[in-house]
Amino acid sequence: MFKFNWKVLLSLHFLIVFFFVNQALMAQIKVSEVASKNSFQLATSKNVTQILIDNKDAKVIEIAANLLADDIFQITGKKPEVIFSVADIRSEYIIICGTIGKSVIIDEFIHKKTIDVSSIKNNWEASLITTVNKTPYTIKKAIVVAGSDRRGTAYGLMDISKAIGISPWIWWADVKPEKKKELYLTEGTHIQKSPSVKYRGIFINDEDWSLTPWIAKTFDPETGNIGPKTYTKIFELMLRLKSNYLWPAMHECSLPFNGFTENAQIADNYAIIMGASHCEPLLRNNVTEWAVDGREKSQWDYFKHPDLIKNYWESILKPRGKFENLYTVGMRGIHDGAMPGSKIRSERVEMMEKIFEDQRTLINKYSTKKTKDIPMIFCPYKEVLADYDAGMKVPEDIMICWAEDNQGYVRRMPDEKERARSGGNGIYYHISYWSDYLWQVSISPQLIAHQLGRAYDFEIKNLWVVNVGDIKAAERETQFFMDLSWDINRWRDGKANQWAIDWSLDTFGKKFGEEIGFILNEYYRLAWRGKPEHIGHTVYNEVESEKRIKDYNLIAKKAETLKAKIPERLKTAYFHLVYYPVAAVAAHNEKILLARRSALENKRGFTEKSKNSFEKSNLAFEKIKNLTEEYNKLENGKWNHLMNYKPRELKVLKEPISDLGLASEEYIKRIPHATTKQEYSDLMRNPLKILTLKNSHKIINKDSKTTIVVEEGLSVDGFGAYLMPHRAESYKDENKAPALEFKINLKPGIYKARVKFLPSRPTSKNDEMRCAFSVNNGKFIVKNVQEPEETYHNHHSCTWTTTIVSEACLDGYISKDYEFKSNGKTTIQLKMLDTGMVFHRIEILEVLK
């Protein structure tokens, strides 16, 4: 008979505890202003460390070492010297950094077993930071930073930079560090394993309204456009964010990346992997490069001019093929449009397969790697997706780069066959999108984490690239995207609601961090029911409109109060990263909603009230203009011409309009959810009761196949509920699915329950998003919540409330109505039968006969 040995069990317990405690310690770099017995001197009143690197190592190591030296100087006023030879050692405390197999010193330490790199060797972008007390040099102590590859080493140095208090946004958002007299690192070992996502990229897009005028008039007037000086700053930011992949700016307003021969070399110096956008194959910028040398737009046709196009691709692969690239393959129009040449799908599919062959031949010809090691992506974006679905054969080693629906919701997940591809899967994601939304980013960390966490579970983990627009309006969200892609488990599954708080604590300190985090989470919460560019078309009833103004003014007032308290060194950072987006978007909501109120009051005959509301709307607009002017003047004009309160001259962002023509017959038919006067009335009246996940609810689990998870921050109500695991099979029998239960009291009558979900997308093109609804243990009624077709906001109609439109991407929800009878006490049960659905509320409306 088996007998427990409690001593062995207890020893095992301590070993497990020791392992996890040790792992936790290994994951942190501790910094202090006070020396301890086991500390390494970075900078003291008398000494400063030196940074020793091998001059034969990658250029990015020298760049990162100099950045760290500059960062230490920013804090202490003492700058470490970067040296390349042990003969130049003068300090008793040395940082020695290098890449395994590229640094003679690091390899010598490995050979002599001075350091153990077994946990990172041959891994992707991993690093080891450890203290060495015994070296062959005349020093007291060394911090060794060893990288598995060139980026691993550079990221290790940036980890030290972050630990001492340097923000990635030290230059781009003026997050200036707190001054300290001395800096010490605590002895220990820090192991940074490989990132969750291999390629983590940004796409600079829609750069015409902010970045380009700022560069031309303020930052780089000599070039007059985006060029090497700007890209150097972008690459530095990427290095600090641990972003390793770039789609460069590509609109007609920008000079092409290939227009400066030094750009590609600078990118390689910073170890940035270069690519080009979803519609620009083989490192080309078609919109500005194709017309060069007399090429006609009509010649962009692979059916008629394959050799001309191949020569165009080959001419850039020849100089750039030697660098580290991730190639976009396939073909679309000259810009962001369909591939010309044939309107017959089968012919386009056959031609695309031929294009893949030709492109692979060209890439292989000029790359220094073997074909199997050359990363390539194919993006089935927009109309290309339909051609792909028609049976297009994409070579197995080419990565499929999926896209979300441009509004933050992943359009579809790869199926079993696609998940097994040797090339893997990636995603193209938006936090900024052309003329639709690009002024102030409002897509929340909670949505990003939920959607990309789900994507990750479906094996979309080789590449994540995010459209960041002009960078400056998207600082917070860009950092969250990179934080999540580096360590998916740190922020997914309900943890993202804490990110804004942690980020605020890191950026603005303990005294202000919690409150700033609260303000930002409220800012994100309110945006679920309308991004700034969308609210001119979004349907709000009068009660909701008033509450929206009140909620925005509350966080704007909090932000205003904090503005005076923020330390001088952080005032610009606070204005750019927190105060401007919160205060300007609050004023923007007030501008539109008060103008809407004014129109309603005028229609009802309340002339004076209408005039007063419209005057307040104008004052809100003036406040936005004044805030924008203040933004551009900060830091002695460093950011002059960058912020614009009306990108692309969108009417919704301009001055108030007094005659809005609300609720007239011609507009009712423009609302897809409202085909009758009654349905329009339902949208505009306030519900009798609103049941949210904040209210008392009960989760009833029927089996162990799935569970309902309630996550904070995942809707305008503050919570969202969804099924886990993400890859669970759909329920064929609704009786077996878990349920959400609500209990309410209603007077006897007939009611309508409007069940609302986030406008997420089904798992695949063949799946649905079914909701089962039951009252008082009655039969479940099953409906597909998802609209038959995706709804997209028309970019060019971002105007005002002259047209009220109800679309999922505007309203922030999709819904289904269920009619029921109640005699008093009422129990409602709701079941989600498919994964991907995110429930957030039930609105109870009395049926008016």
Side-chain angles (χ1 to χ4, degrees), residues 251-308:
H251 279 288
E252 289 174 312
C253 64
S254 293
L255 294 172
F257 188 82
N258 295 319
F260 299 87
T261 55
E262 61 265 49
N263 276 345
Q265 183 61 61
I266 296 169
D268 191 65
N269 290 347
Y270 279 82
I272 302 299
I273 304 162
M274 289 303 302
S277 76
H278 55 88
C279 58
E280 299 179 305
L282 273 56
L283 307 178
R284 276 297 195 178
N285 182 340
N286 301 328
V287 72
T288 51
E289 293 183 328
W290 177 250
V292 176
D293 299 329
R295 290 182 287 259
E296 299 291 334
K297 186 175 181 180
S298 61
Q299 293 177 305
W300 184 256
D301 182 340
Y302 213 80
F303 288 87
K304 296 178 181 177
H305 304 286
D307 290 337
L308 182 66

Side-chain angles (χ1 to χ4, degrees), residues 795-845:
H795 315 299
H796 301 291
S797 69
C798 293
T799 57
W800 259 86
T801 45
T802 49
T803 305
I804 298 176
V805 181
S806 179
E807 291 184 1
C809 65
L810 301 180
D811 291 333
Y813 68 84
I814 50 178
S815 65
K816 279 293 181 227
D817 290 351
Y818 297 84
E819 196 167 293
F820 67 94
K821 185 177 181 180
S822 174
N823 292 315
K825 290 184 178 181
T826 305
T827 299
I828 293 175
Q829 282 197 358
L830 176 74
K831 296 185 175 185
M832 294 172 281
L833 306 182
D834 303 286
T835 61
M837 307 173 73
V838 182
F839 163 83
H840 69 98
R841 70 158 59 177
I842 300 173
E843 296 176 354
I844 305 296
L845 300 164

Side-chain angles (χ1 to χ4, degrees), residues 498-532:
Q498 181 65 29
W499 184 85
I501 297 170
D502 284 10
W503 176 85
S504 299
L505 288 166
D506 284 346
T507 308
F508 298 104
K510 292 181 181 179
K511 188 174 180 180
F512 308 105
E514 291 279 349
E515 190 168 1
I516 292 172
F518 168 82
I519 290 168
L520 291 175
N521 274 333
E522 276 292 282
Y523 169 84
Y524 290 125
R525 181 186 70 79
L526 290 165
W528 287 100
R529 277 288 282 127
K531 299 180 180 71

Side-chain angles (χ1 to χ4, degrees), residues 49-100:
T49 185
Q50 291 176 290
I51 305 174
L52 174 62
I53 62 176
D54 190 325
N55 61 6
K56 293 182 181 178
D57 210 334
K59 182 69 175 178
V60 71
I61 315 303
E62 182 182 350
I63 289 172
N66 279 298
L67 285 176
L68 177 57
D70 289 340
D71 294 343
I72 293 171
F73 176 77
Q74 287 287 330
I75 294 173
T76 66
K78 295 180 176 62
K79 186 173 180 178
E81 180 187 12
V82 177
I83 59 176
F84 300 90
S85 170
V86 294
D88 294 325
I89 293 176
R90 289 184 296 277
S91 176
E92 295 179 324
Y93 293 84
I94 303 292
I95 297 175
I96 301 171
C97 54
T99 308
I100 299 170

Side-chain angles (χ1 to χ4, degrees), residues 5 39 113 165 191 298 352 475 480 482 488 663 667 672 740 751 768 795:
N5 186 323
S39 62
K113 298 185 178 180
I191 295 174
S298 61
M352 191 73 84
E475 296 103 328
F480 178 75
M482 293 308 159
I488 183 73
Y667 299 129
L740 284 164
Y751 297 89
E768 295 180 320
H795 315 299

Side-chain angles (χ1 to χ4, degrees), residues 450-464:
H450 177 264
Q451 288 293 301
L452 294 181
R454 184 173 176 234
Y456 194 84
D457 286 352
F458 276 87
E459 303 300 322
I460 299 179
K461 56 178 64 173
N462 276 32
L463 174 143
W464 291 2

